[in-house]
Amino acid sequence: MIMEKKEQILIRINGLDRPGLTAAIMQILARYGAQILDIGQADIHNTLSLGILIRTDESSSGQVMKELLFKASELSVNIGFAPVSDDEYEAWVERQGRNRYILTIIGRQLSAAQIAATSEIITRQGLNIDSILRLSGRMSIVNPVKNVRACIQFSLRGTPADRNAMQAELMKMSAERGIDFSFQRDDMYRRMRRLICFDMDSTLIQTECIDELAERAGVGAEVKKITERAMRGEIDFRESFTERVKLLKGLDASVLKEIAETMPITEGVDRLMSILKQCGYKIAILSGGFTYFGEYLQRRYGIDYVYANELEIGDDGKLTGNYVGEIVDGHRKAELLKLIAQVEKVNLAQTIAVGDGANDLPMISEAGLGIAFHAKPRVAASAMQSINTIGLDGVLYFLGFKDSYLGEQGKMK
């Protein structure tokens, strides 16, 4: 029996998108028993770009192309054909087995200059861009809204020539161009994150609760100086924590409720928590702050775990200047992340940690995805991912969420 000789043809179609176009093309290919080796489509402002790689009998390929040309004319779209040899196809298949990465860039807006700078870094590292996807909703130019955000995701193939140098270039670009980035290996763990751990003060809320307490105790300036030195990593967290708590001695505990009810919630937290809960994530607060405020947020957002520091309250209803239990410092945060992951039967590679201070670095480094959020310089310099330009819901883009998937096309809150 003589086998019919086969050939590969790359079909390129572009023009005004319309319902039924893909179906019409596929019906023609189906009549000739064409095998689909690859297919991809992009649609920008109702303009379609469709690519189809087929394998078909050489004896019928001419008729296939003829019918496709007639159909393209009927549909008012442009169509082109390119032969692909067996060797070219096999070489392309082999390249698909290379490492894959996802580079995500976010900002209030994204300009051509910012995307050009990103693309240049990708090129210098010898990576190939397989696809570019917009994750953020389409913004209105007639009725602009506050808290606008823009996000583009690059799917990359290959291995960076120098991963550390690429990270340094991305950080430099981020600072100079005013955008944030995430560079992750595109593996099953990136697609299956399950546990997310947040710092609280200056992350979930836009204040340091110990500073708020100190203001009411009349020692605000003194405590704030110690806090800032601790967050920069200039002094040991345990030592600084003990010193600051001592200064709160005599403060009426009723102040805790007042502060909790007026805590400024960080932009994007409401949206982020709602989506994470809907998608089944386990959420934890691991804080060097205080349990009272963590539990307040727990009730508000349905957070699963809260680990923070317990202030000791005397029989007279005033703070004693002491704390109860073990201090939750940077080392303890990393331990708790691993412990919760074990309890929830989650691989450490499926975990996320988000924080801003030096005492967050251990858990940020331990997590599968560590994110520095509006972080102090030392933290931003050490983290692999950072968010400085938009709200905390920017984390969703690093997880691959698309606004339109969430029913939020063009909805910026």
Side-chain angles (χ1 to χ4, degrees):
M1 180 178 177
I2 300 175
M3 296 292 292
E4 181 77 36
K5 194 171 181 183
K6 303 277 189 178
E7 65 176 338
Q8 292 75 236
I9 302 171
L10 177 59
I11 305 166
R12 302 187 186 97
I13 302 166
N14 60 77
L16 188 65
D17 195 9
R18 64 187 65 203
L21 189 151
T22 302
I25 298 298
M26 286 299 165
Q27 285 168 5
I28 294 172
L29 296 176
R31 282 202 298 272
Y32 291 93
Q35 180 184 359
I36 307 298
L37 298 178
D38 196 18
I39 185 169
Q41 177 177 311
D43 195 330
I44 300 177
H45 198 61
N46 286 335
T47 299
L48 170 80
S49 179
L50 172 63
I52 309 170
L53 180 60
I54 67 169
R55 182 171 172 81
T56 189
D57 295 338
E58 274 191 355
S59 60
S60 61
S61 60
Q63 188 62 28
V64 170
M65 287 186 282
K66 179 180 176 181
E67 290 196 31
L68 288 173
L69 278 168
F70 280 125
K71 182 56 69 173
S73 177
E74 179 186 322
L75 296 170
S76 299
V77 294
N78 300 312
I79 191 166
F81 306 97
V84 177
S85 70
D86 291 357
D87 290 343
E88 288 173 328
Y89 175 75
E90 290 302 323
W92 174 79
V93 169
E94 185 178 348
R95 289 195 297 272
Q96 304 315 299
R98 293 184 182 178
N99 291 332
R100 290 184 176 275
Y101 294 89
I102 295 293
L103 174 59
T104 310
I105 59 172
I106 55 178
R108 290 297 180 188
Q109 297 179 8
L110 292 177
S111 67
Q114 291 166 329
I115 297 172
T118 305
S119 303
E120 287 167 8
I121 293 173
I122 292 169
T123 301
R124 282 196 294 272
Q125 289 296 322
L127 296 167
N128 186 69
I129 300 174
D130 275 350
S131 66
I132 302 175
L133 179 66
R134 175 183 47 79
L135 299 185
S136 53
R138 295 183 176 93
M139 68 180 73
S140 171
I141 58 176
V142 177
N143 299 301
V145 295
K146 66 177 182 178
N147 298 337
V148 67
R149 52 191 180 263
C151 176
I152 293 175
Q153 176 181 284
F154 296 82
S155 177
L156 310 176
R157 185 180 67 245
T159 302
D162 187 330
R163 175 71 185 265
N164 291 333
M166 183 174 184
Q167 187 72 19
E169 283 190 281
L170 288 169
M171 289 181 65
K172 185 171 182 288
M173 176 196 68
S174 175
E176 292 176 351
R177 301 283 182 176
I179 58 176
D180 301 321
F181 73 90
S182 166
F183 185 65
Q184 305 175 57
R185 184 181 289 276
D186 189 14
D187 55 23
M188 68 176 184
Y189 297 118
R190 188 192 75 85
R191 301 163 188 268
M192 298 175 64
R193 307 288 187 196
R194 285 292 173 266
L195 168 65
I196 184 164
C197 299
F198 293 98
D199 174 47
M200 179 173 62
D201 296 40
S202 296
T203 300
L204 292 175
I205 56 175
Q206 294 178 300
T207 189
E208 295 284 331
C209 287
I210 196 165
D211 292 345
E212 297 289 336
L213 291 167
E215 285 293 332
R216 287 158 176 79
V219 292
E222 192 174 350
V223 165
K224 192 168 185 179
K225 286 179 183 178
I226 301 173
T227 299
E228 289 174 350
R229 292 179 63 203
M231 290 298 99
R232 291 194 299 265
E234 295 174 3
I235 55 176
D236 176 72
F237 179 81
R238 285 176 172 267
E239 178 186 346
S240 69
F241 179 80
T242 303
E243 288 180 15
R244 288 177 290 173
V245 170
K246 280 182 181 177
L247 291 170
L248 301 178
K249 183 177 180 179
L251 181 65
D252 197 294
S254 63
V255 170
L256 297 173
K257 183 174 185 293
E258 174 195 332
I259 293 174
E261 291 175 347
T262 58
M263 289 188 299
I265 303 298
T266 299
E267 176 196 336
V269 168
D270 288 353
R271 176 174 180 258
L272 173 62
M273 291 297 179
S274 173
I275 291 168
L276 290 175
K277 293 300 291 183
Q278 287 176 45
C279 295
Y281 280 75
K282 292 296 180 180
I283 306 171
I285 290 177
L286 307 181
S287 174
F290 301 114
T291 305
Y292 186 93
F293 305 109
E295 290 177 345
Y296 180 88
L297 294 175
Q298 182 178 36
R299 292 189 294 272
R300 176 168 176 168
Y301 294 112
I303 291 169
D304 300 285
Y305 297 91
V306 172
Y307 289 94
N309 300 298
E310 186 76 31
L311 287 167
E312 185 179 71
I313 301 173
D315 294 336
D316 58 357
K318 298 182 185 298
L319 302 187
T320 66
N322 296 317
Y323 58 87
V324 179
E326 185 178 355
I327 293 176
V328 177
D329 60 0
H331 177 70
R332 181 63 175 154
K333 286 187 180 188
E335 283 185 339
L336 288 166
L337 182 146
K338 290 187 283 188
L339 178 62
I340 297 170
Q342 185 177 358
V343 169
E344 294 293 342
K345 297 180 173 55
V346 170
N347 190 297
L348 203 57
Q350 295 174 275
T351 64
I352 309 152
V354 187
D356 72 298
N359 64 326
D360 297 313
L361 274 175
M363 74 170 181
I364 286 175
S365 301
E366 197 72 54
L369 177 64
I371 303 170
F373 179 73
H374 290 262
K376 312 308 185 277
R378 178 187 167 193
V379 183
S382 301
M384 298 295 284
Q385 280 79 217
S386 65
I387 297 176
N388 294 298
T389 62
I390 68 171
L392 198 60
D393 55 342
V395 170
L396 294 171
Y397 296 132
F398 288 174
L399 300 180
F401 284 89
K402 198 172 187 289
D403 283 349
S404 58
Y405 295 163
L406 304 170
E408 298 183 346
Q409 183 68 30
K411 184 179 176 183
M412 308 290 182
K413 285 190 176 180

